[in-house]
Amino acid sequence: MLFSFAILSLINVVGCIWIAFVSLNLVETTEFRFEGSKLYMRGEIYAKTLEQLEDIYAWDPGISTLVETDIPGLLDGDTMIEFGYRIRELGLNMHLTPDSEINSGGVDLFLAGARWTMEPGAHIGVHA
């Protein structure tokens, strides 16, 4: 009986995590803004981040640099990998400002760029 309760509790927890994951991927968590040939990005990488980039790049293919300002991480690892490959394919440079703070998948994304620059004060966080 105790074993059955433990299994049901585990199923309940996994179900709640899955619902939370799906729900967060329905809310737009990545924001972009233009400044000349630079595209500024902030927020978590989620299921539609790549789609957002494709729409923006179709509208303005003159973008040469993606500036990560505040990227706490990701909600969708598969999208982050595809997003990184697309960044490299487009030949976009990556840049961090003195106020930039990137963590987890934001660091992976930074490294996907064709060229990397950062200003003193930028924060890069990794975890194991």
Side-chain angles (χ1 to χ4, degrees):
M1 176 119 162
L2 184 59
F3 180 73
S4 296
F5 179 74
I7 294 294
L8 288 174
S9 294
L10 180 61
I11 290 170
N12 187 30
V13 167
V14 170
C16 289
I17 291 170
W18 182 81
I19 289 169
F21 175 77
V22 169
S23 298
L24 285 172
N25 268 300
L26 295 175
V27 176
E28 192 168 285
T29 59
T30 312
E31 299 172 8
F32 292 94
R33 72 175 169 82
F34 290 100
E35 192 172 294
S37 64
K38 293 180 181 177
L39 180 63
Y40 288 78
M41 175 182 169
R42 69 176 288 118
E44 291 186 290
I45 299 162
Y46 79 118
K48 298 197 183 230
T49 301
L50 177 58
E51 186 178 315
Q52 287 177 281
L53 175 71
E54 295 293 1
D55 290 345
I56 291 167
Y57 196 77
W59 187 75
D60 185 358
I63 299 164
S64 63
T65 303
L66 181 62
V67 180
E68 291 181 280
T69 59
D70 181 20
I71 311 295
L74 56 90
L75 296 172
D76 188 320
D78 292 338
T79 295
M80 196 288 305
I81 291 169
E82 291 177 39
F83 190 63
Y85 277 117
R86 185 65 173 138
I87 293 293
R88 178 57 66 102
E89 184 180 292
L90 294 171
L92 295 179
N93 298 317
M94 302 299 287
H95 182 71
L96 301 178
T97 69
D99 298 324
S100 292
E101 184 171 334
I102 61 172
N103 295 288
S104 187
V107 177
D108 296 336
L109 184 61
F110 182 73
L111 295 174
R115 187 170 163 229
W116 318 279
T117 56
M118 67 184 280
E119 298 176 50
H123 172 87
I124 296 176
V126 294
H127 57 85

